[in-house]
Amino acid sequence: MLKNFGELFPECSPTLSEITLYSSRLNVFSLSRQSNVQIKWVDVLSAHLEFDSATKTLLLFRLPSFCLFHSRRVDQVSAFHYILKAFNSSTIPGNPTTSITQAYLNEVILSYRLLFGQDRRSRHSFMSNEAARTGKHGIHDPLLRLLCGKKKVDSSSMNADFTLTTRGFYGVKEDFPLLGQRLVRLQEFNMVQDSNTLREFWADRRNPFNFYTFWAVIVVGGVSILLSFTQCGLSIAQLVVSIEQAGN
């Protein structure tokens, strides 16, 4: 009956297992600037990373401490883990020893780093805009501020059995087997948006190779033009000197 309230537990998507997720295309600054995505902080864990393309609204769970707490209790009797396993008793492909609930909670925690923590502008956006919006009844999760607002996070200080790696890209199969489908959908939405203004183009880092190639061409072209003008100026100066000498 509870399934009528929506997807309570995401499932692995074998068809998406080979897709790569890029931090440059999934950080909040890029999503906001290029696609006008708005964030809505929610209390429902199962709604984390759900995206409505019509309203451009991304739902994010605002209490990662809840995930960290229960990730430490996988091997203990817990109503939370029992309920989650009731809705998804499968195993992670290629990693049958890892509890699926453990993997789910770890992915949720890692997703905050992908969306905010790895990008300077996204961290600034969180601290200046989003942090104040995450509170409810005056309650703010300190772990959320740590994951989203700090450049470096020591996962060992969190007493967690996983490592928060910082990479430019992630594999759906290896890093997000459960939440990968939602992240892929978000990434695809962001990639089809066009940069309409010079400001948007300047901020666009969705494809770093193209961005730096473009500016390399601009710089090389600019230097070439400058050298041409310099050579032209020297030629004119030489001509002027030659005319003066001939007149004398």
Side-chain angles (χ1 to χ4, degrees):
M1 181 180 69
L2 291 176
K3 289 186 178 181
N4 293 329
F5 290 92
E7 184 184 41
L8 295 183
F9 198 101
E11 297 182 356
C12 296
S13 300
T15 58
L16 303 175
S17 61
E18 302 304 321
I19 293 180
T20 300
L21 302 168
Y22 295 91
S23 59
S24 60
R25 302 172 183 178
L26 282 168
N27 67 74
V28 166
F29 182 85
S30 176
L31 292 171
S32 174
R33 181 62 62 87
Q34 305 300 330
S35 302
N36 197 29
V37 171
Q38 305 297 317
I39 294 175
K40 181 178 180 181
W41 298 95
V42 298
D43 298 327
V44 183
L45 175 59
S46 61
H48 184 68
L49 288 177
E50 285 191 352
F51 177 63
D52 185 345
S53 58
T55 62
K56 298 184 179 181
T57 301
L58 175 64
L59 304 183
L60 295 180
F61 184 55
R62 71 179 189 90
L63 299 170
S65 290
F66 177 87
C67 300
L68 180 61
F69 173 77
H70 284 286
S71 71
R72 300 168 177 168
R73 298 168 57 87
V74 172
D75 298 327
Q76 303 178 28
V77 178
S78 167
F80 173 77
H81 289 286
Y82 179 82
I83 293 173
L84 284 187
K85 289 179 180 179
F87 285 94
N88 193 333
S89 58
S90 60
T91 58
I92 302 296
N95 191 8
T97 60
T98 300
S99 165
I100 196 163
T101 57
Q102 176 78 66
Y104 177 49
L105 296 171
N106 291 352
E107 287 181 37
V108 172
I109 294 175
L110 179 60
S111 68
Y112 297 106
R113 299 297 296 167
L114 174 61
L115 293 171
F116 290 98
Q118 295 186 193
D119 178 69
R120 175 183 57 83
R121 296 171 299 179
S122 298
R123 293 193 300 269
H124 176 75
S125 176
F126 176 82
M127 298 302 292
S128 60
N129 301 316
E130 297 297 332
R133 299 178 56 244
T134 63
K136 189 173 183 180
H137 306 301
I139 299 176
H140 295 266
D141 189 334
L143 181 58
L144 184 63
R145 183 178 291 266
L146 178 66
L147 293 172
C148 299
K150 298 296 182 181
K151 181 178 181 179
K152 295 182 179 180
V153 177
D154 183 9
S155 55
S156 62
S157 64
M158 299 161 54
N159 192 25
D161 63 348
F162 58 88
T163 302
L164 292 173
T165 57
T166 298
R167 302 199 303 271
F169 59 89
Y170 295 85
V172 170
K173 181 179 179 180
E174 298 82 5
D175 303 298
F176 292 98
L178 295 168
L179 291 175
Q181 185 173 9
R182 298 180 183 182
L183 288 169
V184 167
R185 181 167 179 261
L186 187 62
Q187 177 172 266
E188 290 178 345
F189 179 84
N190 195 30
M191 286 304 295
V192 298
Q193 310 303 315
D194 295 324
S195 299
N196 298 318
T197 66
L198 181 60
R199 182 186 180 190
E200 290 178 352
F201 184 82
W202 174 256
D204 192 354
R205 301 292 192 279
R206 290 173 297 177
N207 194 324
F209 178 78
N210 288 349
F211 176 83
Y212 290 115
T213 298
F214 173 81
W215 287 108
V217 171
I218 295 296
V219 171
V220 172
V223 171
S224 299
I225 293 174
L226 179 61
L227 290 176
S228 297
F229 276 114
T230 302
Q231 185 177 10
C232 183
L234 291 175
S235 298
I236 293 174
Q238 186 177 10
L239 179 60
V240 171
V241 172
S242 299
I243 293 174
E244 290 179 349
Q245 290 177 347
N248 295 332

